[in-house]
Amino acid sequence: MDRKDKQKKGSGEEPCRKEQTVWEQKGISRRDFLKFCTAMSAALALPAAFAPKIARALDDVKRPALVWLEFQDCAGDTEALLRASSPSVSEIVLDVLSLDYHETLMAAAGRQAEENLWKTVREQRGKYIAVVEGSIPMKDGGVYCCVGGRSALDIAREVCGNAFATIAAGTCAAGGGIPEAKPNPTGAVGVKDAVPAATVINLPGCPLNPDNLTATVVHYLTFGKLPDTDSRGRPLFAYGKRIHDNCERRPHFDAGQYVEVWGNDAHRKGHCLYKMGCKGPETYHNCPIQRYNEKTNWPVGAGHGCIGCSEANFWDTMSPFYGRLPNVPGFGVELTADRIGAGLAIATAAAFAGHGVISALRKDKDSEGKKEE
Amino acid sequence: MEKLVTRYVWEWPVRITHWVNALSILVLSLTGLYIGWGKTLAHDPSQYVMGWARLIHFVTGYVFAVSALSRIYWAFAGNEHANWRAFVPYLFKDGRRNMKDTFLFYTFFRRTAPHVTGHNAMAGSVYLFIFLLFLLMIGTGFALYSEHAPGSLLNRTFGLLLSIASNQTLRLIHHGGMWLIICFVINHVYSSWLMDVKEKNGVISSIFGGYKSVPEEE
């Protein structure tokens, strides 16, 4: 009920003038609200002076409608958003946005729910934000994922195509993710590949970090545009640096202290997980700084190597997750490139040693001639 | 027995790039093996074992790249023995004959090694592949190195490789390339020793001083 009231206010026939009380109604003190704004300016890598600007924007802006579509997904990104230990400001920022459609969260069901979605698409054309979670199957006319009798591709074309912008939340929506891993039976792709005409910002991660989603929305509310992105459409504030370069275990990497067996002394002391197959050196994400679950921890902090979940095709290209190098095709599993290479070098040395022995035993004309001289 | 005379064959850029390449390969292989191996060698976080190994690897990588590219330049600017034609002998009649004779010598069907002033035909054709391998190592190496600075000039230049193959595939190629080069080095040292002994052309000392012993009539 509460949410419904909020939506009416958010979709805003009347100008939003009493936002401060809205925050207070939600149990967020002014102080906490300003702390949140400062944290957001830090997440966006903006100077602290921007915090008041963000606060003003969140107070004043007429919040746009937001629809959240789920396709081939596990709802893990929704879970990441909801599993905060206490109702967080970021949850409420998304809440106060007029969340018109979200399959996991909405109270409406059936035709009524679908009508909410299409009403927003019709009435807020070019103004609403679409969040997509999950990949879109393209094979066989998209029959592998249908919602309300329409294929995911069909829905995405209409909803994302008419949105102000689409946020691809999580790795599946950003690039196909796990459904797209070989052999990709459904022909799964990310939103940008399914709907090339849409304005898409990719927030990969398995799950995405809700802080990055909130920061992207806050950036839009504050500046009226989406943040700058890299060549893969990922915002630079969150995906501009390698995990390896901001990792708390980096000093152990540079020193030369590695975990070599799970659970050994080095592992307990928090040494570098490089040798255990950590993909931090090739993964761009702000996990070491933002962390997950209200900044409680993140995989490497908990003693597990990074698996590169925010990179394209990570399931295929980052595996084996517990080895430094991929397996060599045609050779057995566990036979690393270096063992094959060393074997090749030994075989070469043996071959030439054999050749040398034969050559030494053989008398050639010149050496016979030399004896005569 | 034919009379041998000494002749200046390898010009100084050939000799310098040869030795810079050789030393770079040694240093790059040792540091590269450690970087890939990741063995705990430090007892204290204040040490910098991997840090130094990587720094030396990257600096030597630049030295190697400059040296390899200089040698490629010299294949167009140097004398006939340094020229690119020596690396594609099978395109020329003399080269094909020389290649056949060398092959027969290596497989023990022929007792004497054919005399050549510059590279023998088989060696020359292998060097072409070795230089392609060098370029592959330089390309994959800089592509992986550039990942620390996304959007930089280096990253934009070598990022093409990362868009063709995944990071992990490049790593695999970079490791495999090292082992192929090590196999080549074993072959190279052995063959030059063999030719030095059998052909009596002073090929091993020639890479220091530049002079080779060749039959008088050539």
Side-chain angles (χ1 to χ4, degrees):
Chain A
M1 273 300 111
D2 198 11
R3 179 172 287 125
K4 283 237 146 174
D5 293 345
K6 194 63 41 49
Q7 285 172 14
K8 278 197 195 114
K9 192 168 271 180
S11 55
E13 279 83 273
E14 53 187 322
C16 302
R17 277 286 89 218
K18 290 178 179 174
E19 254 57 43
Q20 202 171 330
T21 52
V22 169
W23 299 113
E24 280 161 6
Q25 275 170 13
K26 281 281 185 180
I28 306 289
S29 69
R30 184 73 188 163
R31 183 183 170 81
D32 283 342
F33 175 67
L34 290 174
K35 273 162 76 180
F36 166 79
C37 295
T38 310
M40 277 300 124
S41 67
L44 289 163
L46 295 170
F50 274 88
K53 192 171 177 187
I54 291 172
R56 223 172 298 129
L58 294 183
D59 270 350
D60 293 347
V61 156
K62 195 183 127 189
R63 293 178 179 81
L66 185 139
V67 295
W68 186 298
L69 305 176
E70 290 186 60
F71 297 133
Q72 284 184 320
D73 72 329
C74 65
D77 301 303
T78 299
E79 288 291 330
L81 195 66
L82 299 178
R83 292 294 154 183
S85 54
S86 57
S88 63
V89 186
S90 53
E91 199 185 327
I92 288 157
V93 164
L94 292 170
D95 217 9
V96 172
L97 285 166
S98 175
L99 188 60
D100 289 352
Y101 183 86
H102 189 309
E103 282 150 17
T104 308
L105 302 183
M106 63 193 173
R111 289 188 194 285
Q112 190 196 357
E114 294 304 306
E115 188 44 43
N116 279 349
L117 172 64
W118 300 116
K119 188 164 168 259
T120 304
V121 173
R122 270 198 314 275
E123 291 175 4
Q124 307 277 326
R125 188 176 299 263
K127 283 183 259 173
Y128 65 93
I129 295 176
V131 177
V132 176
E133 185 182 355
S135 64
I136 297 169
M138 303 290 276
K139 218 179 250 183
D140 302 325
V143 296
Y144 300 111
C145 180
C146 293
V147 181
R150 294 181 66 176
S151 73
L153 179 61
D154 198 23
I155 297 170
R157 276 193 185 131
E158 186 162 348
V159 175
C160 303
N162 288 313
F164 166 78
T166 301
I167 298 173
T171 301
C172 296
I178 290 170
E180 188 233 17
K182 284 181 190 123
N184 192 3
T186 64
V189 296
V191 179
K192 189 65 191 172
D193 290 326
V195 191
T199 306
V200 179
I201 188 157
N202 287 328
L203 297 178
C206 196
L208 99 161
N209 193 324
D211 288 351
N212 291 336
L213 177 65
T214 312
T216 304
V217 173
V218 166
H219 188 284
Y220 167 63
L221 295 178
T222 308
F223 300 105
K225 62 181 175 115
L226 294 170
D228 288 342
T229 58
D230 67 5
S231 59
R232 287 178 176 160
R234 306 180 294 188
L236 289 170
F237 74 82
Y239 301 88
K241 289 271 188 291
R242 273 196 309 188
I243 282 183
H244 190 53
D245 293 330
N246 285 322
C247 182
E248 62 224 33
R249 295 180 189 234
R250 180 60 186 265
H252 293 297
F253 172 82
D254 286 332
Q257 293 183 303
Y258 304 98
V259 176
E260 296 181 35
V261 183
W262 294 118
N264 71 355
D265 196 41
H267 194 203
R268 281 192 291 275
K269 283 179 179 162
H271 290 178
C272 175
L273 295 159
Y274 174 77
K275 203 175 162 63
M276 304 309 285
C278 177
K279 302 301 185 296
E282 50 219 82
T283 304
Y284 296 86
H285 208 172
N286 58 356
C287 304
I289 299 161
Q290 282 297 345
R291 309 188 157 204
Y292 280 85
N293 299 332
E294 308 231 300
K295 300 183 174 52
T296 307
N297 211 342
W298 65 297
V300 172
H304 188 286
C306 167
I307 60 170
C309 72
S310 61
E311 294 298 319
N313 310 95
F314 83 99
W315 197 265
D316 295 327
T317 61
M318 295 292 182
S319 55
F321 294 144
Y322 301 104
R324 246 326 334 121
L325 284 179
N327 293 317
V328 184
F331 291 83
V333 183
E334 300 297 316
L335 205 55
T336 64
D338 287 335
R339 283 172 65 190
I340 293 166
L344 202 60
I346 290 165
T348 309
F352 284 105
H355 194 281
V357 169
I358 297 169
S359 298
L361 293 175
R362 244 164 80 98
K363 297 259 188 287
D364 58 38
K365 280 182 199 146
D366 281 5
S367 46
E368 280 160 15
K370 197 178 179 184
K371 266 179 205 160
E372 285 161 19
E373 270 175 343
Chain B
M1 192 197 166
E2 307 149 294
K3 191 158 166 44
L4 298 175
V5 293
T6 55
R7 184 175 296 174
Y8 186 59
V9 178
W10 311 127
E11 299 156 292
W12 64 266
V14 175
R15 284 173 283 144
I16 287 180
T17 54
H18 173 272
W19 287 112
V20 172
N21 288 353
L23 289 175
S24 307
I25 288 168
L26 180 71
V27 172
L28 287 168
S29 298
L30 290 174
T31 51
L33 273 170
Y34 179 65
I35 294 167
W37 186 33
K39 180 80 185 159
T40 298
L41 294 181
H43 305 292
D44 192 275
S46 65
Q47 285 173 272
Y48 202 59
V49 179
M50 181 59 92
W52 283 115
R54 292 175 75 241
L55 179 68
I56 294 166
H57 193 80
F58 299 147
V59 171
T60 314
Y62 275 106
V63 170
F64 178 65
V66 169
S67 174
L69 294 176
S70 306
R71 182 62 187 83
I72 290 169
Y73 164 74
W74 202 249
F76 298 92
N79 69 13
E80 53 169 320
H81 307 299
N83 193 271
W84 61 272
R85 289 177 187 85
F87 305 103
V88 282
Y90 35 81
L91 296 184
F92 308 99
K93 200 172 164 228
D94 281 0
R96 281 194 291 270
R97 183 174 45 77
N98 183 263
M99 193 138 179
K100 192 182 122 225
D101 290 348
T102 314
F103 180 77
L104 290 175
F105 170 73
Y106 270 119
T107 49
F108 307 119
F109 288 108
R110 195 188 136 111
R111 284 196 173 270
T112 51
H115 277 297
V116 280
T117 310
H119 296 297
N120 83 47
M122 284 189 75
S125 24
V126 168
Y127 297 159
L128 175 68
F129 286 103
I130 287 303
F131 266 80
L132 291 176
L133 196 56
F134 286 174
L135 291 179
L136 187 68
M137 292 299 276
I138 292 165
T140 52
F142 277 108
L144 291 168
Y145 173 57
S146 76
E147 289 193 311
H148 78 281
S152 64
L153 181 64
L154 201 65
N155 190 236
R156 274 178 285 143
T157 312
F158 292 95
L160 182 67
L161 280 168
L162 283 163
S163 60
I164 296 169
S166 76
N167 170 298
Q168 286 290 91
T169 309
L170 291 191
R171 255 167 230 269
L172 192 64
I173 293 170
H174 204 65
H175 278 242
M178 177 194 72
W179 288 109
L180 287 179
I181 290 174
I182 288 174
C183 288
F184 162 76
V185 169
I186 294 168
N187 176 342
H188 183 66
V189 171
Y190 169 76
S191 294
S192 50
W193 166 79
L194 183 74
M195 286 301 176
D196 197 80
V197 171
K198 297 282 178 179
E199 205 183 335
K200 297 191 182 46
N201 58 6
V203 66
I204 288 185
S205 58
S206 76
I207 199 59
F208 295 96
Y211 287 90
K212 243 178 127 176
S213 303
V214 293
E216 201 170 23
E217 69 266 30
E218 279 184 42

